[in-house]
Structures are given as structure tokens and as C-alpha cells.
């Protein structure tokens, strides 16, 4: 039987804007990657920068990313990190990849955000794929993070929010799972996808049944800590 292939997706952009950077891979649960895509959408640069200035949300990060992408365009094509496309060009590429690899599932770390961004980008055409969306946060939470060891890791390293909740963002979880305590997430599409895929593989390797629907991870971690008197 052929191994089922799925997409791991990450988008960069403001909450209400169309994304300016989309990264995804097509892979299987055994660690094999069949396709990597790192797409830049220059037509949405201004939309995102303008909104980040207005709201003050991730302003520095978006400026850094867009500057990096712009500088990348000056390199020879074979050395570029990003492929610049218009929306329709990108849709045709995405559609071709999905059909070729028979993709039915999309995984993402905080999948609600990425799903919403793709709908803003492609409109109702995206709904026609009829994907099943699975949240990597939920998967890793229920298979690897509800332990005293993870709670200790967060407390000892100061990975707590201002309100005293345990952090669970991808950068922190990746440090915990790999032992790479100096790891810094790039916050660019394909780079983030690759570390989120590694996190997803830890879920699969646990051989535990798990949930995939988006959840309030901070609340579940807090409740678990209370139950174990931590």
C-alpha cells in the first residue's frame, strides 16, 4: 500500500491580510519529503507592512522577513530561497502538487491561522479541495507535553507567559524535543515548516492515538499541572 502523503503548511502574514510568504512540504509519516515549496507573494507586501504598522503586531518580524525576501530576489535564480509568484500562478502550482500526491490532509502548528490565511488568499477555490485540517499543537500536546518533565523544562528555563502559563510555541517545543536549547525559529514559511514537521514526527513516533482539533493548549497544560500538584 502506498504511504499516505500530506501537507505541512506555514504562512507568514498579518491576521487579517493575505499572506506574503507560504511554505509547505508534501511528506509522509515516516520522514520522507516528496516536495518543498517556498513561495513569496510580493503583491501583498504593502498590505501586511501597512497593517503591522497600524496594529503594532509583529511589526519588526514582518519588516525583517520582507526585507530578506526582497534581497533574495537580487540573487541568481538558482540561488534564491523564495520563488516569487502571483496568486493565480501559485494556485495552479498548489493544485498540481495536491492532485499529483493525492493530498487530503493539511497539518500546521496553530492550523486555524494557516487555514484562514489560505482562504483569504485563494477564496472559495481553497474550499473545493475539501481538506481535513489537523493541528500539530494538539497532537504534540496530548502525546508529549502533558508530563512533569515538560512542566519542569518550562519552569527551569523561564518558558512561562506573563500570566504564569506554560509556553507551547513551536520554538520552545522544538528545543524540548531535540535538546537544542539555543534554537531560534526563523519565522519564515518553509524554514518553520521543516521544524514543525520534525515535531509532527515525534507525535507519530509516540504510537499514541491523539486528537487533532484545535484546542486551548495553555488551559490544558494548566489543568494538568494542577492535577499533578505541580
Amino acid at each position: 500500500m502506498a504511504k499516505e502523503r500530506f501537507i505541512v503548511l506555514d504562512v507568514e502574514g498579518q491576521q487579517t491580510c493575505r499572506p506574503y510568504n507560504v511554505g509547505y512540504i508534501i511528506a509522509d509519516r515516516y520522514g520522507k519529503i516528496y516536495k518543498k515549496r517556498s513561495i513569496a507573494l510580493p503583491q501583498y507586501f504593502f498590505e501586511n507592512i501597512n497593517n503591522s504598522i497600524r496594529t503594532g503586531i509583529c511589526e519588526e518580524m514582518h519588516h525583517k522577513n520582507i526585507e530578506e525576501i526582497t534581497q533574495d530576489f537580487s540573487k541568481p535564480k538558482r540561488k534564491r530561497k523564495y520563488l516569487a509568484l502571483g496568486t493565480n500562478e501559485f494556485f495552479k502550482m498548489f493544485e498540481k502538487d495536491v492532485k499529483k500526491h493525492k493530498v487530503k490532509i493539511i497539518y500546521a502548528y496553530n492550523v486555524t491561522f494557516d487555514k484562514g490565511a489560505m482562504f483569504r488568499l485563494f477564496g472559495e477555490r481553497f474550499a473545493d479541495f475539501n481538506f481535513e485540517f489537523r493541528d500539530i499543537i494538539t497532537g504534540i500536546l496530548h502525546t508529549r507535553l502533558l508530563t512533569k518533565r515538560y512542566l519542569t523544562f518550562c519552569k527551569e528555563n523561564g518558558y512561562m507567559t506573563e500570566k504564569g502559563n506554560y509556553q507551547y510555541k513551536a520554538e520552545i517545543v522544538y528545543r524540548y524535543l531535540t535538546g537544542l536549547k539555543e534554537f531560534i525559529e526563523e519565522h519564515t514559511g518553509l524554514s518553520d515548516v521543516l521544524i514543525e514537521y520534525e515535531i509532527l514526527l515525534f507525535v507519530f513516533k509516540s504510537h499514541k492515538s491523539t486528537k487533532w482539533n484545535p484546542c486551548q493548549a495553555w488551559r490544558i497544560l494548566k489543568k494538568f499541572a494542577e492535577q499533578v500538584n505541580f
Side-chain angles (χ1 to χ4, degrees), residues 102 141 206-207:
K102 300 178 181 179
L141 175 70
S206 73
H207 300 294

Side-chain angles (χ1 to χ4, degrees), residues 70-84:
T70 303
Q71 290 174 351
D72 188 64
F73 294 162
S74 65
K75 299 177 183 177
K77 283 188 176 181
R78 58 189 173 81
K79 293 186 177 181
R80 290 179 190 172
K81 181 178 176 181
Y82 303 93
L83 175 63

